[in-house]
Amino acid sequence: MTDEEVNLSGAVCPAPIQQRDRIVMGHGSGGKLSHDLIARKFIPAFDNAALRAGDDAGIVQANICTRLAISTDSHVVWPLFFPGGDIGRLAVCGTVNDVAMMGATPKYLTAGFILEEGCALETLERVLESMKAAAAEAGVEIVAGDTKVVQKGKADGLYINTTGVGIIPLGVEIGGALAAPGDAVILSGPIGDHGIAVLGARGELGFDADVRSDVAPLNHLIAALLNASEHIHVLRDPTRGGVATTLNEIARQSNVGITLYEQAIPVRPAVRAACEMLGFDPLYVANEGKLITIVGREDVERILEVMRQQRYGGESVLIGEVQSKSPGRVLLKTAIGSHRIVDVLLGEMLPRIC
Ligand code: MG
């Protein structure tokens, strides 16, 4: 592979990690290069069972009857404000969602700020107001924080790291390794809104797309889901790398095949138009307020009905099934009935999207 090639997702693909001795933008993509970096550098350095599970949050046993889900995420989105959201809402929702994807009830967050010298106090105040509102909506408290300032030019206004802790209710077992042949794949609504909204805010579309980010806390939707069925096996939010990368992770963790029905996957017309113009596949574009759940076939109708009654689940649909024929692979069943392989995101598609 040459230094920069473009793959089918529209992503620019740098050379593989083993040929490089420095970090490239693709290491932050959430796709193949991120996975390689984690597997080769971070897991060997910090190795333990919680990390090795490879889920959205690490699960630890706090005492004999309490399991905690702990997740952390740094937010470097540019610009800081975009249609439908901002870095503050993203920083709260991103971590709330990663904790909730383990079936946990998110309770407490911490927030660390890296502020650039010269950042307007009014900007910081807007971000804090937004975090306050998102935390109230999710029902979590921000109980510790940190502030560092770096010289002008060493950061883009501000960056935020959030860490979240949640309690996993007794009897709840959710994880990326629990998908089983025969299960159904459900998506909570149209894909690609967040990535396209941020690109639009950067002025990179060349036209007014009228797309708003979907950034939202999904913990109440998940609580309703867990209440509705005992057959919720996997929950994951398709953020960086999109639906395609997220489903590949699950297919590998569970050693199953996943077949997607192309025609069932909802994409708003404005997002589809922007993707066509930019040469992107919406399956790889980031979402910040959507979830994928893999559930026992017997409860699909009830689960869809419950999801559609929830604020952030109104457009939930069945998009695929789990099978045993192509372990570790995601296949897309096209409109004409053929199948094509959907791989993980290679390289970098949209840097600094979250
Ligand atoms: Mg996640």
Side-chain angles (χ1 to χ4, degrees), residues 56 94 97-98 101 236-239:
D56 279 352
N97 291 346
D98 278 344
M101 296 302 151
R236 194 160 290 179
D237 49 348
T239 53

Side-chain angles (χ1 to χ4, degrees), residues 4-14 24-34 191-192 195-196 198-199 202 204 239-245 271 274-276 278-287 343-353:
E4 288 204 340
E5 288 180 2
V6 175
N7 80 344
L8 289 175
S9 66
V12 176
C13 305
V24 296
M25 290 305 289
H27 287 132
S29 67
K32 176 84 168 70
L33 287 180
S34 303
I191 58 171
I196 297 303
V198 173
L199 269 196
R202 287 180 194 161
E204 289 180 19
T239 53
R240 289 175 307 174
V243 167
T245 304
V271 170
C275 284
E276 277 172 10
L278 297 164
F280 291 158
D281 182 337
L283 280 173
Y284 293 88
V285 179
N287 311 275
D343 209 344
V344 295
L345 176 68
L346 301 165
E348 180 57 277
M349 188 171 173
L350 304 169
R352 294 186 57 186
I353 209 78

Side-chain angles (χ1 to χ4, degrees), residues 85-98:
D86 58 78
I87 192 170
R89 183 167 171 83
L90 200 57
V92 170
C93 296
T95 293
V96 161
N97 291 346
D98 278 344

Side-chain angles (χ1 to χ4, degrees), residues 20-348:
R20 294 179 173 269
D21 57 6
R22 286 173 202 279
I23 293 295
V24 296
M25 290 305 289
H27 287 132
S29 67
K32 176 84 168 70
L33 287 180
S34 303
H35 292 166
D36 282 351
L37 189 67
I38 292 166
R40 289 166 195 268
K41 301 298 176 190
F42 291 105
I43 298 284
F46 305 136
D47 192 29
N48 58 58
L51 264 189
R52 244 177 285 133
D55 283 316
D56 279 352
I59 295 181
V60 294
Q61 194 83 39
N63 60 37
I64 196 151
C65 55
T66 308
R67 286 174 306 151
L68 301 177
I70 306 176
S71 189
T72 193
D73 210 331
S74 296
H75 300 272
V76 298
V77 65
W78 182 254
L80 299 177
F81 302 91
F82 44 83
D86 58 78
I87 192 170
R89 183 167 171 83
L90 200 57
V92 170
C93 296
T95 293
V96 161
N97 291 346
D98 278 344
V99 169
M101 296 302 151
M102 305 315 299
T105 307
K107 301 291 256 185
Y108 304 108
L109 259 54
T110 70
F113 293 82
I114 295 170
L115 306 173
E116 183 189 13
E117 177 188 22
C119 175
L121 273 181
E122 194 222 332
T123 302
L124 178 62
E125 285 162 7
R126 280 178 69 193
V127 169
L128 296 181
E129 273 304 312
S130 177
M131 292 178 78
K132 180 182 170 185
E137 184 183 352
V140 298
E141 283 186 289
I142 300 172
V143 295
D146 176 55
T147 308
K148 297 288 189 299
V149 179
V150 297
Q151 296 95 333
K152 193 163 187 56
K154 304 286 186 187
D156 255 334
L158 61 93
Y159 304 143
I160 308 172
N161 172 275
T162 46
T163 295
V165 179
I167 297 169
I168 302 176
L170 273 178
V172 170
E173 288 290 343
I174 307 286
L178 299 178
D183 283 355
V185 183
I186 292 173
L187 171 69
S188 65
I191 58 171
D193 295 5
H194 177 73
I196 297 303
V198 173
L199 269 196
R202 287 180 194 161
E204 289 180 19
L205 292 181
F207 65 96
D208 204 1
D210 194 26
V211 176
R212 293 170 65 79
S213 168
D214 56 350
V215 55
L218 300 175
N219 53 318
H220 302 310
L221 171 62
I222 289 172
L225 256 170
L226 292 173
N227 213 16
S229 170
E230 290 178 352
H231 302 284
I232 311 293
H233 300 155
V234 183
L235 287 162
R236 194 160 290 179
D237 49 348
T239 53
R240 289 175 307 174
V243 167
T245 304
T246 296
L247 287 176
N248 267 280
E249 289 169 6
I250 296 167
R252 286 173 199 185
Q253 276 179 274
S254 295
N255 198 32
V256 293
I258 295 176
T259 302
L260 290 179
Y261 319 135
E262 184 174 41
Q263 286 175 301
I265 300 167
V267 185
R268 295 187 203 288
V271 170
R272 191 177 294 285
C275 284
E276 277 172 10
M277 205 191 71
L278 297 164
F280 291 158
D281 182 337
L283 280 173
Y284 293 88
V285 179
N287 311 275
E288 290 290 347
K290 297 293 166 355
L291 65 79
I292 287 169
T293 183
I294 296 184
V295 306
R297 176 63 69 174
E298 62 269 45
D299 281 353
V300 169
E301 290 312 317
R302 179 162 18 133
I303 288 167
L304 280 172
E305 194 184 320
V306 167
M307 288 179 76
R308 287 171 184 157
Q309 287 163 5
Q310 294 292 313
R311 180 169 180 194
Y312 297 118
E315 297 170 88
S316 298
V317 283
L318 176 71
I319 60 161
E321 64 195 57
V322 179
Q323 32 80 8
S324 56
K325 279 175 288 184
S326 55
R329 288 235 179 254
V330 178
L331 302 175
L332 189 72
K333 188 175 179 189
T334 66
I336 54 167
S338 63
H339 288 79
R340 77 171 165 90
I341 292 172
V342 176
D343 209 344
V344 295
L345 176 68
L346 301 165
E348 180 57 277

